[in-house]
């Protein structure tokens, strides 16, 4: 996803000199060509993410379209106060990019596991949140977020799902349906949609037809798709590489309750309000915390039997 993001950003920066990329002492091998091609549009601010956000706000208020970039929790939770007071309060044109959502940096331990970012950032006014599910969505997302303006959070993953949907324009706030089915709806955000697709295929072998929805946009969220799933399918299961509290599953619960719609069955797959104390690859951690394709299949079968 990182490479897809950079390819799209490079194309945008070539056409728009007001686009500026800031990084917090990262991406030397990644951003070298960008720096060479756009020397006035790239700044390495050093290990100072809080200052990076303040600088980004200042540049934005002077008419620039700013992208800040770092890994894991560094561009978000480390500088939450600056995002709230500087960027969001002034509705600045800044896209905050975190490369390494969820367990992407699984082997580096809890400090690098981004598992609370969605819930914390979606509580901020004037904030758009996108967690693309595929490589194409990644490029489409940064393009749309810069075009739309305002403060946005782009959560990139080290995994991605194949783009199996029928081609349609990328719209922030509009989900994508990958499979149709009436027995259950599986709604995933980010690269874990790949595990969700695998689980859906296995469920079909067992006679369970699932609707699969990629909810790339967390804020704003596609209320119509959620309500339709609650009314017209046998239930909703949410899948996210994130803490259950306040994330995708919570956002979907809010939509259902606010609109007086009750899914026939409901279950959230995610981290159980704990810190991930295990280290290992991203896929290993998914399996350990019950959110890989095998776990999804088991939990859907158990839910439908209940």
């Amino acid at each position: 996803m990182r490479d897809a993001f950079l390819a799209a950003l490079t194309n945008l920066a070539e056409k728009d000199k007001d686009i500026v990329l800031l990084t917090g002492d990262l991406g030397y091998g990644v951003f070298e060509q960008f720096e060479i091609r756009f020397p006035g549009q790239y700044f390495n601010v050093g290990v100072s993410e809080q200052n990076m956000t303040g600088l980004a706000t200042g540049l934005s208020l002077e008419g620039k379209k700013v992208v800040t970039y770092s890994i894991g929790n560094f561009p978000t939770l480390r500088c939450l106060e600056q995002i709230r007071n500087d960027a969001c309060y002034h509705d600045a044109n800044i896209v905050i990019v975190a490369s390494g959502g969820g367990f992407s940096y699984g082997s580096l331990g809890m400090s690098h596991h981004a598992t609370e970012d969605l819930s914390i950032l979606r509580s901020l006014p004037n904030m758009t949140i996108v967690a693309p599910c595929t490589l194409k969505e990644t490029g489409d997302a940064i393009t749309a977020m810069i075009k739309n303006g305002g403060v946005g959070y782009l959560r990139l993953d080290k995994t991605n799902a194949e783009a199996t949907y029928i081609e349609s324009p990328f719209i922030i706030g509009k989900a994508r349906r990958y499979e149709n089915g009436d027995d259950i709806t599986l709604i995933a955000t980010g690269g874990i949609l790949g595990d969700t697709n695998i689980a859906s295929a296995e469920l079909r072998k067992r006679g369970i037809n699932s609707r699969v929805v990629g909810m790339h946009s967390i804020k704003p969220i596609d209320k119509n798709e959620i309500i339709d799933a609650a009314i017209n399918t046998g239930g909703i299961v949410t899948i996210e590489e994130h803490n259950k509290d306040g994330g995708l599953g919570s956002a979907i619960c809010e939509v259902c309750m606010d609109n007086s719609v009750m899914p026939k069955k409901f279950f959230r797959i995610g981290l159980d309000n704990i810190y991930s104390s295990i280290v290992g690859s991203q896929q290993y951690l998914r399996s350990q915390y019950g959110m890989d394709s095998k776990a999804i299949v088991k939990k859907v079968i158990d839910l439908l039997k209940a």
Side-chain angles (χ1 to χ4, degrees):
M1 283 190 178
R2 180 196 63 188
D3 294 341
F5 150 75
L6 182 58
L9 185 65
T10 299
N11 183 55
L12 293 168
E14 195 169 41
K15 301 172 183 176
D16 188 345
K17 301 302 180 184
D18 284 332
I19 291 176
V20 177
L21 172 62
L22 306 180
T23 181
D25 204 38
L26 287 166
Y28 291 106
V30 179
F31 296 137
E32 284 179 357
Q33 291 305 310
F34 189 95
E35 181 180 14
I36 292 170
R37 291 182 62 182
F38 313 110
Q41 296 170 253
Y42 172 83
F43 300 97
N44 186 335
V45 303
V47 186
S48 55
E49 291 83 3
Q50 295 169 329
N51 288 336
M52 178 172 70
T53 304
L55 176 60
T57 302
L59 288 169
S60 171
L61 295 178
E62 290 299 316
K64 301 298 182 182
K65 304 166 187 176
V66 189
V67 177
T68 64
Y69 175 94
S70 190
I71 63 171
N73 296 312
F74 299 160
T76 55
L77 305 192
R78 178 169 287 182
C79 44
L80 180 59
E81 183 178 3
Q82 286 72 29
I83 292 172
R84 177 184 183 271
N85 295 355
D86 298 345
C88 287
Y89 183 71
H90 293 94
D91 200 19
N93 291 326
I94 302 171
V95 180
I96 302 157
V97 181
S99 179
F103 299 130
S104 293
Y105 288 95
S107 61
L108 296 182
M110 168 265 188
S111 64
H112 284 63
H113 299 168
T115 52
E116 303 85 32
D117 50 327
L118 296 178
S119 60
I120 292 171
L121 293 182
R122 83 178 184 92
S123 69
L124 298 178
N126 296 333
M127 172 68 77
T128 296
I129 299 176
V130 179
C133 304
T134 71
L135 295 182
K136 187 176 187 305
E137 279 187 352
T138 303
D140 290 343
I142 185 61
T143 301
M145 294 172 86
I146 289 177
K147 179 181 178 181
N148 290 357
V151 185
Y153 174 43
L154 180 61
R155 188 190 205 236
L156 304 183
D157 202 325
K158 284 199 171 183
T159 63
N160 59 87
E162 293 184 9
T164 56
Y165 56 87
I166 298 173
E167 285 294 335
S168 59
F170 178 91
I171 301 173
I172 293 175
K174 178 66 175 175
R176 278 180 163 145
R177 196 179 296 185
Y178 289 77
E179 296 284 349
N180 284 308
D182 298 328
D183 295 327
I184 197 76
T185 296
L186 308 179
I187 304 179
T189 190
I192 203 167
L193 177 66
D195 276 278
T196 306
N197 286 335
I198 294 170
S200 176
E202 181 60 31
L203 288 168
R204 286 182 186 277
K205 294 178 183 177
R206 304 186 186 203
I208 300 171
N209 295 318
S210 56
R211 177 186 295 184
V212 178
V213 175
M215 192 66 71
H216 57 72
S217 182
I218 303 297
K219 185 180 180 182
I221 201 163
D222 192 338
K223 297 179 182 179
N224 291 334
E225 185 70 29
I226 295 166
I227 293 170
D228 186 83
I231 294 173
N232 295 315
T233 71
I236 296 175
V237 174
T238 64
I239 303 101
E240 58 191 309
E241 200 167 311
H242 185 272
N243 199 304
K244 289 180 182 178
D245 288 0
L248 171 67
S250 294
I252 290 173
C253 286
E254 291 166 12
V255 171
C256 291
M257 294 301 98
D258 287 345
N259 291 276
S260 301
V261 175
M262 181 67 71
K264 298 174 185 67
K265 293 180 181 292
F266 189 86
F267 191 82
R268 293 180 295 168
I269 293 177
L271 202 59
D272 287 318
N273 194 31
I274 59 173
Y275 292 112
S276 48
S277 59
I278 303 172
V279 297
S281 70
Q282 185 173 19
Q283 200 60 42
Y284 175 73
L285 291 181
R286 285 179 182 173
S287 67
Q288 289 297 300
Y289 289 111
M291 56 184 77
D292 64 351
S293 60
K294 292 181 180 179
I296 296 169
V297 169
K298 184 179 185 305
K299 289 175 180 178
V300 168
I301 292 173
D302 291 345
L303 182 67
L304 293 177
K305 285 181 178 178

